[in-house]
Amino acid sequence: MMVIQVAAGLIYRDGRYLIARRKPDAHLGGFWEFPGGKREPGETLEACLHRELFEELNVRIAGPRPYRVVRHTYPEKTVELHFFHCAIETGEAQPMDGTELRWVLPDELAQFQFPPADEVILEALRRDAGRSLS
């Protein structure tokens, strides 16, 4: 089975993370996720993250730092999610494709329905919430 590589941004500001709701017609539509997208052939994961966040949110990010890699197999595909801590350098996040965005505290993440692949990250973020991210 082919593995789909995805870069996702853990965009952090004022103690909150930016999350986006998946479009209803997408795989896992209606679930919440950390913004990002699929890596194109020949593209680095960092370049993918910069491109996707600009396309989806109209922002430029500073210094993506690798956080965790999660591999998850769904019945129809396997995804390898590469999560990066990052901050918005220029622009104000706005959903370019009409999706819903929210800034949420780490302990509020449990109130949102995320895809099963994200559970490991959600747990890690809750655990790390008391520590400095700088």
Side-chain angles (χ1 to χ4, degrees):
M1 186 181 292
M2 192 177 89
V3 176
I4 298 167
Q5 288 193 317
V6 173
L10 301 171
I11 303 171
Y12 192 75
R13 184 177 77 192
D14 300 328
R16 296 172 188 267
Y17 287 101
L18 182 65
I19 61 173
R21 188 171 227 154
R22 296 179 65 84
K23 288 183 268 195
D25 58 348
H27 177 248
L28 300 169
F31 281 74
W32 291 85
E33 66 181 355
F34 296 99
K38 295 182 194 125
R39 185 170 75 98
E40 303 280 342
E43 188 176 48
T44 66
L45 288 159
E46 288 85 351
C48 169
L49 187 64
H50 282 278
R51 176 183 54 75
E52 286 282 351
L53 296 182
F54 183 71
E55 288 174 3
E56 288 182 16
L57 306 174
N58 199 31
V59 296
R60 299 283 184 198
I61 55 163
R65 294 188 324 275
Y67 179 59
R68 297 262 164 93
V69 178
V70 175
R71 185 180 277 232
H72 188 85
T73 301
Y74 292 100
E76 64 280 5
K77 62 181 158 187
T78 296
V79 292
E80 188 175 87
L81 305 169
H82 295 259
F83 291 91
F84 293 85
H85 278 296
C86 55
I88 295 174
E89 190 171 55
T90 59
E92 185 60 44
Q94 50 190 309
M96 302 309 286
D97 56 4
T99 57
E100 192 179 345
L101 299 178
R102 298 256 183 98
W103 288 96
V104 298
L105 295 167
D107 62 359
E108 293 173 337
L109 289 168
Q111 298 168 24
F112 296 86
Q113 188 176 22
F114 282 81
D118 288 13
E119 286 304 315
V120 173
I121 293 301
L122 296 170
E123 185 55 41
L125 292 175
R126 284 192 290 270
R127 199 174 50 244
D128 293 348
R131 294 189 221 142
S132 169
L133 296 176
S134 53

